[in-house]
Structure formats: structure tokens, C-alpha cells
Amino acid sequence: MTGIRLTAPAPGWAIDADVVVVGSGVAGLTTALRCAAAGLDTVVVTKARLDDGSTRWAQGGIAAALGEGDTPEQHLDDTLVAGAGLCDEEAVRTLVTEGPDAVRRLITTGAHFDTTDSGDIALTREGGHHRRRIAHAGGDATGAEISRALVEAVREAALHTIENALVLDLLTDAEGRTAGVSLHVMGEGQHDGVGAVRAPSVVLATGGMGQVFSATTNPSVSTGDGVALALRAGAEVSDLEFVQFHPTVLFLGAEAEGQQPLVSEAVRGEGAHLVDARGTRFMAGQHELAELAPRDIVAKAITRQMHEHGTEHMYLDARHFGARMWEQRFPTILAACRAHGIDPVTEPVPVAPAAHYASGGIRTDLRGRTTVPGLYACGEVACTGVHGANRLASNSLLEGLVFAERIAADIAGTRPPRTGPARAASEPVALLAPEARTAIQRVMTRGAGVLRSADSLATAAEELEALHRSAAADADAADLKDAVPGVDAWEATNLLLVSRVLVAAAREREETRGCHWREDRPDRDDAHWRRHLVVRIAPDRTPVVHRTQTAAFPPVRPAD
């Protein structure tokens, strides 16, 4: 334990459970449903509404070896290639072998995928996949359909849910074992203000941290709360430097900030071309899969073209689809483009990379266990080793499904008893004022975005440390007013912590690998850097970075 926590009032109410699941995407709700089915008293806590997480924004689909001629071994091969030498092969094998049945169980839960005329699941391709293995729903509304099915199942099962609640910190018992979480409920309801859910098992499924950057595909709630909570609780995180920038995000202007509309990789999977302003394709010849190369390769190619042409975006040309295909296969994307004055049926779509997915996160084993006893992590917030240095397209929903089931099985198998009094760490962290959020995002975009260098990362580190010191000293050097406990201040403080750790890892990794692109170190260096970077927070609140001795993850606990 680090002994630190967010500055917040003491809990004014508490409820008891066997398991508390934080997050309501595919990972969180699947875990909760499986735990409840095993007879565990389960509480779901979510930051907004049950269906407001990142899952609902997933357009492309879910990858699994479901098609004729496809095999888990082929899926494994594609995943390992995309991960650029840092995937944990055992974790990937678990994903691809257990994945097809997990998808079938999702269908049994009530999710409806698009089908062919013969009634089979319709499958498409995305970047890095050599076969059609992406199941989709509603054309390009896969996440929304999965979320709908799981939310309905949760409501039918009458699970205890707490919506509009920001989780603050981990609670522990006298021995330092997990004993629940503190949280703040926003608005009126059964509970209000700061309270606690006391439980011997806590599952973090809080999604990503895309809001550390100015432009992202992530919703506004994706502020790294789970990773920040875990770091304060003493957990280790790994591979946080590998932030995937989605190559094709609708370009809304250089000053656009916040969540940006995604143009799914499935559009390229169906035959769209990346072109420059003259209409010239530039991916052909750069990779055997051209526009369907892994995302890091496509994002880098687009960025290079932007630099060479002195422009702020490239184009995605799918005019040859015709109106009918756009309307039936990609209705969500078509509506988003038209809402911003662009008609993909008649003109190329301006696109540019934007922060999309955290391949790293809280370090776990194959049962979702973290380095803190009783604390689990699942989905984007976790680092299972599946994604390595770059996530393969549409593996994220599958990872959430497969490892959620494994976590539920582990908790149901061990059934830890409810412990004694739960308590938070003793030393509060000084909070940032809400306006620091924009400052953090701009620092990270300038210094730790798609292109990084020793100089840009050093500048980012200095600017982030200045914000950290100003909050700790209650100074106004950064032109920030005194912060008081509240959602905006807690989010800004979480963003600062995960940004500092991300930059510390990115500075340490002196090579280019996967979605970590160092201009000053353009080559991949397997001899020195086919290693993981594991980070924890020291009691003095500084990030401590450790490089593993091999490409394998160390056990999460000494007894493993």
C-alpha cells in the first residue's frame, strides 16, 4: 500500500456485498452476471448510466474464430504479430480458444449479431486479420447491441446497481487485504454523496483513459479512474506507454477537443481506401495488407503523409460503396459524418489519428488478479498480456468477455469471507482544480501523442510535475485556484497521476515498438527492449519504473 488516497469526505453510508464490480461495459456486466449466477451478492457501480461506458461506442465488432476455415491458432498468430513481440502467448491462447464459446454465451444472453442469408453469423475483416472473423451487429453498432443485451440481463436478474457514481479509492482491512471501495454518488437516488461498498472482492472494469489527450474516441467518463485507484492502492501497472491511436477518426478541425467520432476499421475492411488530397492511395506497397495493416502501421503512415503534405488530415474514400451499402452496413458512421456536414456517399471523409485504446493497464494474471489481494481488473483497464505493444482490432470486446468469466470463476471458487472494518488510506492527495484537465490534455497531446521523442517527453514530464507540485504546495504558479473535493477535481487528479506514469514509461522505453513511436529511436530493439515496463507509485508519490528481465510477465504474487 502507498498510504495515499484522494481528498474526500468520510463515507456517510455503506452497504455490504460479496463482490463489487466497478464499470458497466462488457467486462463489468459479464463479471457481475456470472458472479450473481454463482450465488454471490454482487453490486455494480458505474460512473454514468449502465449503458454509458466505452462498450456502447464500439463500432467494428468482436473478433473470434467463428467462420469456416478459421481457427484459434490463426487468430493467435494475427494477435501475436500485431502485439510486436510483447504479447503473453499463454494469455493470447486463452483468449482465442475460449473466445468462440464466450461469444456464443453472449448470444444466449440476448445479443443479436448480423447474419447472412443462410442464418450464419456475418463476419468481416479489420486491420491485422488475415481472415473474416469480426462479428458485428446493427451494421456498425456492435457495442450498442452488446451493451443493450447485458444491461437487460442485469435488470432481469435484479442486480444491485449504483449509477452516476465515481469510485474514489480502495478500502482495506487490518491486514491490508481488499475490503471494498469508497465512492461518490452524483445526484439523487437511493444513495447520495460519499459512501462505501464493503466487499472482500473488488473488480475494476472502468474502461480506458483516453481523456488524457485532447482528441480521443473515448467518452468523457474515460479519465483513468481505475488505473489511478489501483496505483494509489499499491498495485502495479504495465505497458502504459502503449496507447493505440485509431488511424481513422473524423477530423473536425485542429482545435477540436474531447470525444471525436470514430470511423470504424470495418469501413476499410469492406474496401475503403486511404488517399491524400489528390486522391492517391498511399498504403499500397507499405504493407502486405495495405489499408488493413495493423493500426500502428496505418496511424504512422497517415501521420507521415500529413507531415510530408503539410496537412492536418488525410481522407478515407468509400464513395464506391454507394448509398445503399452506407445506409445498411454503416448507418451510425453515415449519420455522424452527415451531422458534421460530410457525406461519405459523395465525398471522401477527412480523417486523422486520435487516442483510442490503452493496451496497457493494471497488471493481472490469467484469473484477473492484480498484485493487491482481493483486487481484480478486467477489460481496457487491465493488462493481461493479450495486446502486447499494439491491440489487434476487435480483440478488446473478446478480452472483456473471456477474462470476465475467468474472474467470476475465481471469485466463486475461492469465496473469500467478508472481513472486518474497512478503511481508506490515511494520507490524502492534494487535488487539482478542474481547469487543470485541459492543461494536462494539451501537455500530453504535445509531448506524448502519436509522435514522441526524448525532448518532447522530457518537456511533458516537467510540465506535469509542475502541476503536481503546484497542487501539493497549494500554489498558484500554474494559475489554478484552490481545489475542493468534487467530481471534476477528482477526475483531474486521476488524469494527472496516470499521465505522469504513462510519460515515465514512455521516457524509459528508448525504441519504437507497436503504438509507441519514438522519432529519436525509430528502430525496434528486441535485444534490449523486448521487455515489459512495470510501474508502481512510491509512498513519496513518484512513479517507480522497473524493466522485466524477459518478455514474460513476473507472477502477480510471490506464491503464484
Side-chain angles (χ1 to χ4, degrees):
M1 295 292 291
T2 63
I4 58 176
R5 61 176 176 84
L6 289 173
T7 299
W13 53 270
I15 58 176
D16 294 294
D18 296 319
V19 185
V20 55
V21 177
V22 186
S24 60
V26 63
L29 295 188
T30 300
T31 304
L33 286 166
R34 297 293 183 270
C35 285
L40 296 163
D41 184 3
T42 306
V43 174
V44 177
V45 176
T46 188
K47 195 172 178 182
R49 298 189 308 274
L50 275 181
D51 62 352
D52 255 354
S54 292
T55 291
R56 65 174 289 202
W57 298 101
Q59 294 174 344
I62 184 167
L66 297 164
E68 184 177 351
D70 197 5
T71 64
E73 198 68 26
Q74 294 175 70
H75 189 182
L76 179 142
D77 289 343
D78 285 346
T79 301
L80 295 180
V81 170
L86 279 185
C87 293
D88 181 287
E89 187 166 340
E90 186 181 0
V92 178
R93 195 170 295 281
T94 298
L95 178 82
V96 299
T97 55
E98 297 181 11
D101 283 344
V103 173
R104 294 182 185 104
R105 284 188 288 273
L106 179 62
I107 293 171
T108 302
T109 302
H112 301 293
F113 289 95
D114 296 337
T115 57
T116 64
D117 292 340
S118 60
D120 296 325
I121 297 175
L123 301 172
T124 190
R125 280 182 68 195
E126 289 186 356
H129 292 274
H130 282 78
R131 284 192 175 271
R132 286 183 170 264
R133 66 168 65 98
I134 316 300
H136 48 84
D140 59 357
T142 310
E145 170 57 20
I146 290 174
S147 180
R148 179 206 61 77
L150 291 173
V151 168
E152 284 190 9
V154 164
R155 288 177 175 152
E156 287 175 8
L159 265 65
H160 188 158
T161 61
I162 303 175
E163 296 180 285
N164 301 306
L166 172 63
V167 169
L168 303 175
D169 281 299
L170 192 72
L171 303 177
T172 58
D173 61 15
E175 282 72 47
R177 195 186 187 284
T178 293
V181 291
S182 59
L183 65 159
H184 174 80
V185 181
M186 303 164 270
E188 297 180 2
Q190 183 180 357
H191 307 288
D192 199 7
V194 174
V197 180
R198 297 182 296 223
S201 298
V202 171
V203 183
L204 296 178
T206 53
M209 53 185 188
Q211 291 291 325
V212 301
F213 296 97
S214 297
T216 177
T217 62
N218 290 190
S220 61
V221 295
S222 297
T223 50
D225 307 317
V227 170
L229 177 152
L231 284 165
R232 286 192 297 271
E236 293 179 350
V237 303
S238 187
D239 301 351
L240 223 60
E241 68 272 30
F242 296 118
V243 177
Q244 186 176 82
F245 285 75
H246 197 289
T248 53
V249 175
L250 183 62
F251 181 75
L252 301 180
E255 302 304 315
E257 295 183 337
Q259 186 178 12
Q260 313 285 301
L262 177 67
V263 182
S264 170
E265 201 153 315
V267 179
R268 282 175 280 137
E270 296 292 350
H273 301 145
L274 283 165
V275 299
D276 59 23
R278 297 168 297 188
T280 304
R281 290 180 66 183
F282 54 85
M283 284 305 301
Q286 295 207 26
H287 190 275
E288 60 167 338
L289 296 176
E291 277 88 357
L292 288 178
R295 287 178 178 176
D296 64 307
I297 293 171
V298 180
K300 290 170 186 176
I302 292 174
T303 303
R304 286 193 191 100
Q305 291 292 319
M306 287 160 52
H307 284 186
E308 289 178 12
H309 291 267
T311 60
E312 296 173 321
H313 62 82
M314 287 287 114
Y315 293 92
L316 188 65
D317 191 352
R319 289 174 290 180
H320 53 284
F321 285 4
R324 188 163 181 265
M325 182 173 174
W326 269 109
E327 291 163 0
Q328 292 185 352
R329 181 67 179 86
F330 301 111
T332 306
I333 299 170
L334 178 63
C337 289
R338 285 177 170 170
H340 291 283
I342 299 155
D343 189 349
V345 176
T346 60
E347 60 187 318
V349 178
V351 292
H356 182 56
Y357 190 87
S359 293
I362 307 165
R363 194 165 74 82
T364 75
D365 63 9
L366 297 187
R367 289 182 275 173
R369 302 181 306 167
T370 73
T371 52
V372 175
L375 179 65
Y376 296 78
C378 190
E380 188 174 355
V381 73
C383 181
T384 62
V386 159
H387 304 308
N390 183 42
R391 174 180 67 98
L392 181 65
S394 289
N395 269 356
S396 51
L397 292 175
L398 190 70
E399 182 194 31
L401 272 182
V402 168
F403 287 91
E405 294 185 342
R406 289 181 144 254
I407 288 172
D410 191 69
I411 296 172
T414 56
R415 292 186 180 265
R418 298 185 186 184
T419 55
R423 55 182 182 150
S426 57
E427 191 174 345
V429 173
L431 300 178
L432 267 71
E435 23 309 19
R437 177 172 179 148
T438 301
I440 294 166
Q441 291 170 334
R442 291 176 179 171
V443 166
M444 292 297 289
T445 298
R446 286 194 305 267
V450 179
L451 286 171
R452 302 166 178 176
S453 67
D455 289 344
S456 76
L457 290 166
T459 300
E462 291 171 6
E463 292 174 339
L464 293 172
E465 287 307 310
L467 288 170
H468 175 66
R469 288 193 303 270
S470 70
D474 195 25
D476 57 4
D479 197 28
L480 303 175
K481 62 186 179 184
D482 294 349
V484 296
V487 172
D488 292 341
W490 289 322
E491 286 185 333
T493 304
N494 285 339
L495 284 171
L496 178 61
L497 177 55
V498 297
S499 295
R500 291 172 65 221
V501 171
L502 191 162
V503 168
R507 293 183 76 184
E508 183 79 10
R509 183 171 292 280
E510 296 181 338
E511 66 159 354
T512 289
R513 181 184 298 272
C515 48
H516 173 67
W517 189 7
R518 287 280 297 259
E519 288 181 285
D520 55 333
R521 302 280 183 169
D523 298 321
R524 174 169 153 175
D525 181 0
D526 280 350
H528 298 95
W529 289 106
R530 191 165 175 253
R531 308 284 190 273
H532 297 280
L533 295 178
V534 176
V535 189
R536 60 180 176 82
I537 291 295
D540 66 358
R541 305 175 192 184
T542 59
V544 178
V545 183
H546 167 71
R547 191 193 321 186
T548 61
Q549 295 300 306
T550 69
F553 275 121
V556 295
R557 294 175 206 145
D560 288 352

